[in-house]
Amino acid sequence: DVFDSLFEMKREGLIQSISTQNFPPSLLRSALSCGFEIQSNSIVGNLMNTHNLRSDSELGILCSEQELSRHISAPLGGGLFTDSISQSSKKKIEALFGMCCRDKSSVVSTSQKWAKYQSIKNTLHELSQKYQVSCESISLRWLLQMNEEAGDSIIVGSRLGMDLREQQGGSPYNRQSDLREVFTFALEDDDMELLGELSGQSSSQDFPPEGDHQIDFSNKALWI
């Protein structure tokens, strides 16, 4: 069993901690009930996918009870909440909806997703002008301020070195320095609430429980 091997490596001092990725509450609960110590769980979370970010969701309650931190991946929706997305085709944007924005809210049709996305993107553009920062900085700052008390962290992909445009004589690749912009300002409370309302994060809507995963950690015959 993978968990058993990982914890043996931890006992031997080969690894420091163990984290999971996109584990639903049922799977986390099964692992924890068998005595496995998990430090954090990586989840997808952004302005179009806020279910797992909510403190009153099943996963949010479990992480709070077990003192599990969350690593938030795809915080920019695969590029949906960046300034450069305007150069992308509608087909590519819709593909990102499926990969990074599988929200469990009532927004299910493509037209509804587009309407929600346009409202969020327009607001990000207005706030970027207000604070004189990029749209991605606004998106990341919202996540940071929303989760600062929970101790959650945000995972942002950042390629090293030059990109193809720079190699071909285009503008310099400054993504690392651009991302540091998020630490130079703070969103006002009204702006935090506005983004929360548009994203659905502050909605009182009830979400269905996570689907059950038929993996039995108590079956020691499967352990290595």
Side-chain angles (χ1 to χ4, degrees), residues 44-86:
V44 174
N46 52 61
L47 285 162
M48 288 281 288
N49 192 339
T50 60
H51 172 57
N52 287 329
L53 300 177
R54 292 178 49 165
S55 59
D56 61 345
S57 68
E58 186 180 2
L59 182 60
I61 294 173
L62 177 61
C63 288
S64 177
E65 292 175 346
Q66 300 296 328
E67 298 183 348
L68 293 176
S69 61
R70 295 175 296 182
H71 294 172
I72 303 171
S73 61
L76 298 176
L80 285 173
F81 309 113
T82 63
D83 295 320
S84 60
I85 193 63
S86 59

mmCIF file of all heavy atoms in Angstrom, residues 44-86:
data_model
loop_
_atom_site.group_PDB
_atom_site.id
_atom_site.type_symbol
_atom_site.label_atom_id
_atom_site.label_comp_id
_atom_site.label_asym_id
_atom_site.label_seq_id
_atom_site.Cartn_x
_atom_site.Cartn_y
_atom_site.Cartn_z
ATOM 1 N N VAL A 44 -8.066 22.069 -5.837
ATOM 2 C CA VAL A 44 -8.208 23.089 -6.872
ATOM 3 C C VAL A 44 -9.116 24.186 -6.344
ATOM 4 O O VAL A 44 -10.196 23.914 -5.821
ATOM 5 C CB VAL A 44 -8.802 22.494 -8.165
ATOM 6 C CG1 VAL A 44 -9.085 23.591 -9.179
ATOM 7 C CG2 VAL A 44 -7.855 21.458 -8.753
ATOM 8 N N GLY A 45 -8.668 25.431 -6.450
ATOM 9 C CA GLY A 45 -9.482 26.532 -5.964
ATOM 10 C C GLY A 45 -9.161 27.833 -6.677
ATOM 11 O O GLY A 45 -7.987 28.189 -6.831
ATOM 12 N N ASN A 46 -10.184 28.511 -7.144
ATOM 13 C CA ASN A 46 -10.016 29.802 -7.809
ATOM 14 C C ASN A 46 -11.366 30.508 -7.836
ATOM 15 O O ASN A 46 -12.343 30.023 -7.253
ATOM 16 C CB ASN A 46 -9.434 29.642 -9.214
ATOM 17 C CG ASN A 46 -10.206 28.637 -10.058
ATOM 18 O OD1 ASN A 46 -11.387 28.807 -10.315
ATOM 19 N ND2 ASN A 46 -9.528 27.562 -10.477
ATOM 20 N N LEU A 47 -11.445 31.630 -8.502
ATOM 21 C CA LEU A 47 -12.668 32.423 -8.509
ATOM 22 C C LEU A 47 -13.839 31.735 -9.219
ATOM 23 O O LEU A 47 -14.988 32.150 -9.043
ATOM 24 C CB LEU A 47 -12.400 33.786 -9.171
ATOM 25 C CG LEU A 47 -11.621 34.783 -8.311
ATOM 26 C CD1 LEU A 47 -11.036 35.893 -9.171
ATOM 27 C CD2 LEU A 47 -12.527 35.365 -7.229
ATOM 28 N N MET A 48 -13.560 30.711 -10.011
ATOM 29 C CA MET A 48 -14.617 29.956 -10.669
ATOM 30 C C MET A 48 -14.813 28.580 -10.036
ATOM 31 O O MET A 48 -15.645 27.796 -10.489
ATOM 32 C CB MET A 48 -14.307 29.793 -12.161
ATOM 33 C CG MET A 48 -14.456 31.041 -12.999
ATOM 34 S SD MET A 48 -16.170 31.423 -13.422
ATOM 35 C CE MET A 48 -16.517 30.141 -14.633
ATOM 36 N N ASN A 49 -14.064 28.281 -9.007
ATOM 37 C CA ASN A 49 -14.143 26.977 -8.344
ATOM 38 C C ASN A 49 -13.895 27.177 -6.853
ATOM 39 O O ASN A 49 -12.777 27.036 -6.369
ATOM 40 C CB ASN A 49 -13.111 26.027 -8.945
ATOM 41 C CG ASN A 49 -13.326 24.592 -8.517
ATOM 42 O OD1 ASN A 49 -13.969 24.322 -7.509
ATOM 43 N ND2 ASN A 49 -12.780 23.657 -9.274
ATOM 44 N N THR A 50 -14.944 27.529 -6.130
ATOM 45 C CA THR A 50 -14.791 27.955 -4.736
ATOM 46 C C THR A 50 -15.333 26.961 -3.723
ATOM 47 O O THR A 50 -15.229 27.203 -2.523
ATOM 48 C CB THR A 50 -15.508 29.297 -4.508
ATOM 49 O OG1 THR A 50 -16.909 29.138 -4.806
ATOM 50 C CG2 THR A 50 -14.928 30.371 -5.414
ATOM 51 N N HIS A 51 -15.920 25.856 -4.166
ATOM 52 C CA HIS A 51 -16.563 24.942 -3.228
ATOM 53 C C HIS A 51 -15.603 24.470 -2.131
ATOM 54 O O HIS A 51 -15.929 24.509 -0.938
ATOM 55 C CB HIS A 51 -17.140 23.736 -3.967
ATOM 56 C CG HIS A 51 -17.648 22.654 -3.066
ATOM 57 N ND1 HIS A 51 -18.612 22.871 -2.107
ATOM 58 C CD2 HIS A 51 -17.309 21.342 -2.954
ATOM 59 C CE1 HIS A 51 -18.862 21.747 -1.453
ATOM 60 N NE2 HIS A 51 -18.078 20.812 -1.947
ATOM 61 N N ASN A 52 -14.407 24.012 -2.520
ATOM 62 C CA ASN A 52 -13.451 23.496 -1.543
ATOM 63 C C ASN A 52 -12.815 24.593 -0.697
ATOM 64 O O ASN A 52 -12.146 24.307 0.296
ATOM 65 C CB ASN A 52 -12.353 22.698 -2.251
ATOM 66 C CG ASN A 52 -12.856 21.355 -2.761
ATOM 67 O OD1 ASN A 52 -13.742 20.753 -2.175
ATOM 68 N ND2 ASN A 52 -12.291 20.894 -3.865
ATOM 69 N N LEU A 53 -13.000 25.857 -1.111
ATOM 70 C CA LEU A 53 -12.418 26.960 -0.362
ATOM 71 C C LEU A 53 -13.301 27.371 0.814
ATOM 72 O O LEU A 53 -12.839 28.038 1.742
ATOM 73 C CB LEU A 53 -12.222 28.176 -1.278
ATOM 74 C CG LEU A 53 -11.315 27.972 -2.490
ATOM 75 C CD1 LEU A 53 -11.283 29.241 -3.334
ATOM 76 C CD2 LEU A 53 -9.902 27.591 -2.050
ATOM 77 N N ARG A 54 -14.550 26.976 0.762
ATOM 78 C CA ARG A 54 -15.484 27.393 1.794
ATOM 79 C C ARG A 54 -15.214 26.675 3.108
ATOM 80 O O ARG A 54 -15.011 25.462 3.143
ATOM 81 C CB ARG A 54 -16.921 27.131 1.340
ATOM 82 C CG ARG A 54 -17.364 28.005 0.200
ATOM 83 C CD ARG A 54 -18.765 27.680 -0.250
ATOM 84 N NE ARG A 54 -19.701 27.616 0.866
ATOM 85 C CZ ARG A 54 -21.024 27.632 0.715
ATOM 86 N NH1 ARG A 54 -21.531 27.711 -0.499
ATOM 87 N NH2 ARG A 54 -21.821 27.567 1.759
ATOM 88 N N SER A 55 -15.221 27.425 4.209
ATOM 89 C CA SER A 55 -14.967 26.826 5.523
ATOM 90 C C SER A 55 -16.116 25.945 5.982
ATOM 91 O O SER A 55 -15.934 25.070 6.832
ATOM 92 C CB SER A 55 -14.712 27.930 6.558
ATOM 93 O OG SER A 55 -15.832 28.802 6.645
ATOM 94 N N ASP A 56 -17.332 26.164 5.410
ATOM 95 C CA ASP A 56 -18.487 25.368 5.817
ATOM 96 C C ASP A 56 -18.749 24.188 4.891
ATOM 97 O O ASP A 56 -19.750 23.492 5.036
ATOM 98 C CB ASP A 56 -19.741 26.242 5.898
ATOM 99 C CG ASP A 56 -20.091 26.881 4.556
ATOM 100 O OD1 ASP A 56 -19.236 26.879 3.652
ATOM 101 O OD2 ASP A 56 -21.215 27.405 4.427
ATOM 102 N N SER A 57 -17.839 23.944 3.926
ATOM 103 C CA SER A 57 -17.979 22.760 3.081
ATOM 104 C C SER A 57 -17.544 21.529 3.871
ATOM 105 O O SER A 57 -16.888 21.633 4.913
ATOM 106 C CB SER A 57 -17.120 22.893 1.817
ATOM 107 O OG SER A 57 -15.742 22.857 2.141
ATOM 108 N N GLU A 58 -17.897 20.358 3.376
ATOM 109 C CA GLU A 58 -17.530 19.128 4.073
ATOM 110 C C GLU A 58 -16.016 19.013 4.215
ATOM 111 O O GLU A 58 -15.499 18.650 5.272
ATOM 112 C CB GLU A 58 -18.082 17.917 3.322
ATOM 113 C CG GLU A 58 -17.867 16.594 4.041
ATOM 114 C CD GLU A 58 -18.420 15.402 3.279
ATOM 115 O OE1 GLU A 58 -18.931 15.610 2.164
ATOM 116 O OE2 GLU A 58 -18.317 14.271 3.797
ATOM 117 N N LEU A 59 -15.290 19.359 3.155
ATOM 118 C CA LEU A 59 -13.836 19.298 3.200
ATOM 119 C C LEU A 59 -13.265 20.369 4.121
ATOM 120 O O LEU A 59 -12.318 20.118 4.875
ATOM 121 C CB LEU A 59 -13.258 19.466 1.792
ATOM 122 C CG LEU A 59 -11.743 19.386 1.666
ATOM 123 C CD1 LEU A 59 -11.234 18.032 2.150
ATOM 124 C CD2 LEU A 59 -11.301 19.628 0.229
ATOM 125 N N GLY A 60 -13.845 21.577 4.083
ATOM 126 C CA GLY A 60 -13.370 22.652 4.943
ATOM 127 C C GLY A 60 -13.529 22.321 6.411
ATOM 128 O O GLY A 60 -12.632 22.586 7.228
ATOM 129 N N ILE A 61 -14.659 21.735 6.775
ATOM 130 C CA ILE A 61 -14.907 21.358 8.171
ATOM 131 C C ILE A 61 -13.938 20.269 8.607
ATOM 132 O O ILE A 61 -13.372 20.318 9.711
ATOM 133 C CB ILE A 61 -16.361 20.892 8.339
ATOM 134 C CG1 ILE A 61 -17.332 22.062 8.107
ATOM 135 C CG2 ILE A 61 -16.584 20.293 9.721
ATOM 136 C CD1 ILE A 61 -18.789 21.671 8.082
ATOM 137 N N LEU A 62 -13.721 19.266 7.745
ATOM 138 C CA LEU A 62 -12.813 18.169 8.077
ATOM 139 C C LEU A 62 -11.388 18.676 8.277
ATOM 140 O O LEU A 62 -10.705 18.293 9.240
ATOM 141 C CB LEU A 62 -12.848 17.113 6.977
ATOM 142 C CG LEU A 62 -11.892 15.924 7.148
ATOM 143 C CD1 LEU A 62 -12.228 15.158 8.424
ATOM 144 C CD2 LEU A 62 -11.961 14.996 5.934
ATOM 145 N N CYS A 63 -10.914 19.539 7.369
ATOM 146 C CA CYS A 63 -9.556 20.075 7.488
ATOM 147 C C CYS A 63 -9.399 20.903 8.753
ATOM 148 O O CYS A 63 -8.351 20.868 9.410
ATOM 149 C CB CYS A 63 -9.223 20.922 6.258
ATOM 150 S SG CYS A 63 -8.965 19.956 4.748
ATOM 151 N N SER A 64 -10.439 21.636 9.125
ATOM 152 C CA SER A 64 -10.386 22.431 10.353
ATOM 153 C C SER A 64 -10.345 21.536 11.585
ATOM 154 O O SER A 64 -9.559 21.769 12.511
ATOM 155 C CB SER A 64 -11.603 23.358 10.419
ATOM 156 O OG SER A 64 -11.617 24.090 11.626
ATOM 157 N N GLU A 65 -11.164 20.493 11.605
ATOM 158 C CA GLU A 65 -11.209 19.579 12.745
ATOM 159 C C GLU A 65 -9.894 18.823 12.911
ATOM 160 O O GLU A 65 -9.423 18.611 14.035
ATOM 161 C CB GLU A 65 -12.354 18.587 12.570
ATOM 162 C CG GLU A 65 -13.734 19.212 12.665
ATOM 163 C CD GLU A 65 -14.839 18.216 12.371
ATOM 164 O OE1 GLU A 65 -14.526 17.120 11.832
ATOM 165 O OE2 GLU A 65 -16.010 18.511 12.657
ATOM 166 N N GLN A 66 -9.287 18.420 11.800
ATOM 167 C CA GLN A 66 -8.062 17.612 11.839
ATOM 168 C C GLN A 66 -6.798 18.456 11.727
ATOM 169 O O GLN A 66 -5.693 17.908 11.683
ATOM 170 C CB GLN A 66 -8.086 16.586 10.700
ATOM 171 C CG GLN A 66 -9.259 15.625 10.758
ATOM 172 C CD GLN A 66 -9.231 14.736 11.981
ATOM 173 O OE1 GLN A 66 -8.154 14.376 12.482
ATOM 174 N NE2 GLN A 66 -10.405 14.356 12.471
ATOM 175 N N GLU A 67 -6.972 19.785 11.667
ATOM 176 C CA GLU A 67 -5.843 20.714 11.543
ATOM 177 C C GLU A 67 -4.990 20.405 10.314
ATOM 178 O O GLU A 67 -3.757 20.392 10.376
ATOM 179 C CB GLU A 67 -4.986 20.706 12.816
ATOM 180 C CG GLU A 67 -5.750 21.176 14.051
ATOM 181 C CD GLU A 67 -4.875 21.230 15.290
ATOM 182 O OE1 GLU A 67 -3.739 20.696 15.253
ATOM 183 O OE2 GLU A 67 -5.315 21.819 16.293
ATOM 184 N N LEU A 68 -5.662 20.146 9.218
ATOM 185 C CA LEU A 68 -4.983 19.903 7.939
ATOM 186 C C LEU A 68 -4.938 21.203 7.148
ATOM 187 O O LEU A 68 -5.954 21.867 6.979
ATOM 188 C CB LEU A 68 -5.727 18.854 7.119
ATOM 189 C CG LEU A 68 -5.764 17.420 7.640
ATOM 190 C CD1 LEU A 68 -6.638 16.568 6.731
ATOM 191 C CD2 LEU A 68 -4.370 16.835 7.696
ATOM 192 N N SER A 69 -3.773 21.569 6.680
ATOM 193 C CA SER A 69 -3.681 22.744 5.820
ATOM 194 C C SER A 69 -4.026 22.343 4.391
ATOM 195 O O SER A 69 -3.971 21.170 4.029
ATOM 196 C CB SER A 69 -2.269 23.345 5.871
ATOM 197 O OG SER A 69 -1.312 22.415 5.412
ATOM 198 N N ARG A 70 -4.402 23.329 3.585
ATOM 199 C CA ARG A 70 -4.762 23.067 2.202
ATOM 200 C C ARG A 70 -3.792 23.792 1.275
ATOM 201 O O ARG A 70 -3.482 24.953 1.486
ATOM 202 C CB ARG A 70 -6.195 23.525 1.925
ATOM 203 C CG ARG A 70 -7.246 22.762 2.702
ATOM 204 C CD ARG A 70 -8.644 23.331 2.479
ATOM 205 N NE ARG A 70 -8.760 24.693 2.982
ATOM 206 C CZ ARG A 70 -9.883 25.400 2.956
ATOM 207 N NH1 ARG A 70 -10.973 24.869 2.426
ATOM 208 N NH2 ARG A 70 -9.926 26.624 3.439
ATOM 209 N N HIS A 71 -3.324 23.080 0.247
ATOM 210 C CA HIS A 71 -2.514 23.687 -0.793
ATOM 211 C C HIS A 71 -3.427 23.939 -1.983
ATOM 212 O O HIS A 71 -3.931 22.993 -2.587
ATOM 213 C CB HIS A 71 -1.353 22.768 -1.192
ATOM 214 C CG HIS A 71 -0.357 22.572 -0.101
ATOM 215 N ND1 HIS A 71 0.674 21.652 -0.188
ATOM 216 C CD2 HIS A 71 -0.223 23.172 1.103
ATOM 217 C CE1 HIS A 71 1.392 21.699 0.920
ATOM 218 N NE2 HIS A 71 0.859 22.597 1.715
ATOM 219 N N ILE A 72 -3.652 25.190 -2.321
ATOM 220 C CA ILE A 72 -4.610 25.550 -3.359
ATOM 221 C C ILE A 72 -3.903 25.616 -4.705
ATOM 222 O O ILE A 72 -3.048 26.468 -4.936
ATOM 223 C CB ILE A 72 -5.276 26.899 -3.031
ATOM 224 C CG1 ILE A 72 -5.939 26.821 -1.661
ATOM 225 C CG2 ILE A 72 -6.296 27.272 -4.103
ATOM 226 C CD1 ILE A 72 -6.447 28.152 -1.145
ATOM 227 N N SER A 73 -4.276 24.704 -5.603
ATOM 228 C CA SER A 73 -3.687 24.678 -6.944
ATOM 229 C C SER A 73 -4.642 25.311 -7.949
ATOM 230 O O SER A 73 -5.819 25.509 -7.667
ATOM 231 C CB SER A 73 -3.359 23.235 -7.354
ATOM 232 O OG SER A 73 -4.542 22.454 -7.389
ATOM 233 N N ALA A 74 -4.124 25.613 -9.133
ATOM 234 C CA ALA A 74 -4.887 26.279 -10.202
ATOM 235 C C ALA A 74 -5.562 27.556 -9.704
ATOM 236 O O ALA A 74 -6.726 27.805 -10.028
ATOM 237 C CB ALA A 74 -5.924 25.334 -10.807
ATOM 238 N N PRO A 75 -4.862 28.392 -8.915
ATOM 239 C CA PRO A 75 -5.492 29.613 -8.394
ATOM 240 C C PRO A 75 -5.841 30.627 -9.474
ATOM 241 O O PRO A 75 -6.698 31.488 -9.268
ATOM 242 C CB PRO A 75 -4.432 30.170 -7.436
ATOM 243 C CG PRO A 75 -3.133 29.685 -8.000
ATOM 244 C CD PRO A 75 -3.438 28.311 -8.519
ATOM 245 N N LEU A 76 -5.181 30.517 -10.628
ATOM 246 C CA LEU A 76 -5.471 31.422 -11.745
ATOM 247 C C LEU A 76 -6.308 30.732 -12.822
ATOM 248 O O LEU A 76 -6.428 31.237 -13.944
ATOM 249 C CB LEU A 76 -4.166 31.953 -12.345
ATOM 250 C CG LEU A 76 -3.298 32.784 -11.399
ATOM 251 C CD1 LEU A 76 -1.980 33.175 -12.060
ATOM 252 C CD2 LEU A 76 -4.037 34.031 -10.933
ATOM 253 N N GLY A 77 -6.864 29.572 -12.485
ATOM 254 C CA GLY A 77 -7.727 28.877 -13.427
ATOM 255 C C GLY A 77 -7.033 28.458 -14.700
ATOM 256 O O GLY A 77 -7.647 28.455 -15.775
ATOM 257 N N GLY A 78 -5.758 28.099 -14.603
ATOM 258 C CA GLY A 78 -5.027 27.696 -15.798
ATOM 259 C C GLY A 78 -4.742 28.846 -16.750
ATOM 260 O O GLY A 78 -4.375 28.641 -17.898
ATOM 261 N N GLY A 79 -4.920 30.082 -16.262
ATOM 262 C CA GLY A 79 -4.674 31.266 -17.081
ATOM 263 C C GLY A 79 -5.922 32.097 -17.313
ATOM 264 O O GLY A 79 -5.855 33.171 -17.918
ATOM 265 N N LEU A 80 -7.080 31.634 -16.810
ATOM 266 C CA LEU A 80 -8.331 32.357 -17.019
ATOM 267 C C LEU A 80 -8.307 33.749 -16.393
ATOM 268 O O LEU A 80 -8.923 34.684 -16.911
ATOM 269 C CB LEU A 80 -9.503 31.566 -16.424
ATOM 270 C CG LEU A 80 -9.980 30.341 -17.208
ATOM 271 C CD1 LEU A 80 -11.026 29.585 -16.406
ATOM 272 C CD2 LEU A 80 -10.538 30.748 -18.557
ATOM 273 N N PHE A 81 -7.588 33.883 -15.282
ATOM 274 C CA PHE A 81 -7.594 35.149 -14.559
ATOM 275 C C PHE A 81 -6.266 35.878 -14.694
ATOM 276 O O PHE A 81 -5.713 36.410 -13.728
ATOM 277 C CB PHE A 81 -7.941 34.900 -13.085
ATOM 278 C CG PHE A 81 -9.184 34.082 -12.915
ATOM 279 C CD1 PHE A 81 -9.126 32.809 -12.380
ATOM 280 C CD2 PHE A 81 -10.406 34.567 -13.336
ATOM 281 C CE1 PHE A 81 -10.271 32.041 -12.248
ATOM 282 C CE2 PHE A 81 -11.559 33.814 -13.207
ATOM 283 C CZ PHE A 81 -11.490 32.541 -12.662
ATOM 284 N N THR A 82 -5.757 35.883 -15.924
ATOM 285 C CA THR A 82 -4.525 36.608 -16.229
ATOM 286 C C THR A 82 -4.811 37.633 -17.321
ATOM 287 O O THR A 82 -5.818 37.552 -18.028
ATOM 288 C CB THR A 82 -3.428 35.647 -16.721
ATOM 289 O OG1 THR A 82 -3.859 35.037 -17.951
ATOM 290 C CG2 THR A 82 -3.142 34.553 -15.694
ATOM 291 N N ASP A 83 -3.922 38.590 -17.454
ATOM 292 C CA ASP A 83 -4.101 39.632 -18.462
ATOM 293 C C ASP A 83 -3.974 39.086 -19.881
ATOM 294 O O ASP A 83 -4.555 39.618 -20.823
ATOM 295 C CB ASP A 83 -3.073 40.747 -18.250
ATOM 296 C CG ASP A 83 -3.292 41.483 -16.936
ATOM 297 O OD1 ASP A 83 -4.461 41.733 -16.591
ATOM 298 O OD2 ASP A 83 -2.301 41.793 -16.249
ATOM 299 N N SER A 84 -3.215 38.001 -20.037
ATOM 300 C CA SER A 84 -2.945 37.476 -21.375
ATOM 301 C C SER A 84 -4.075 36.616 -21.930
ATOM 302 O O SER A 84 -4.035 36.234 -23.101
ATOM 303 C CB SER A 84 -1.657 36.652 -21.361
ATOM 304 O OG SER A 84 -1.768 35.557 -20.463
ATOM 305 N N ILE A 85 -5.100 36.312 -21.130
ATOM 306 C CA ILE A 85 -6.161 35.416 -21.584
ATOM 307 C C ILE A 85 -6.963 36.027 -22.731
ATOM 308 O O ILE A 85 -7.591 35.308 -23.512
ATOM 309 C CB ILE A 85 -7.108 35.066 -20.409
ATOM 310 C CG1 ILE A 85 -8.033 33.893 -20.785
ATOM 311 C CG2 ILE A 85 -7.917 36.277 -19.989
ATOM 312 C CD1 ILE A 85 -7.318 32.606 -21.060
ATOM 313 N N SER A 86 -6.942 37.340 -22.838
ATOM 314 C CA SER A 86 -7.701 38.009 -23.903
ATOM 315 C C SER A 86 -7.215 37.596 -25.296
ATOM 316 O O SER A 86 -7.939 37.745 -26.284
ATOM 317 C CB SER A 86 -7.597 39.534 -23.756
ATOM 318 O OG SER A 86 -6.244 39.953 -23.807
#
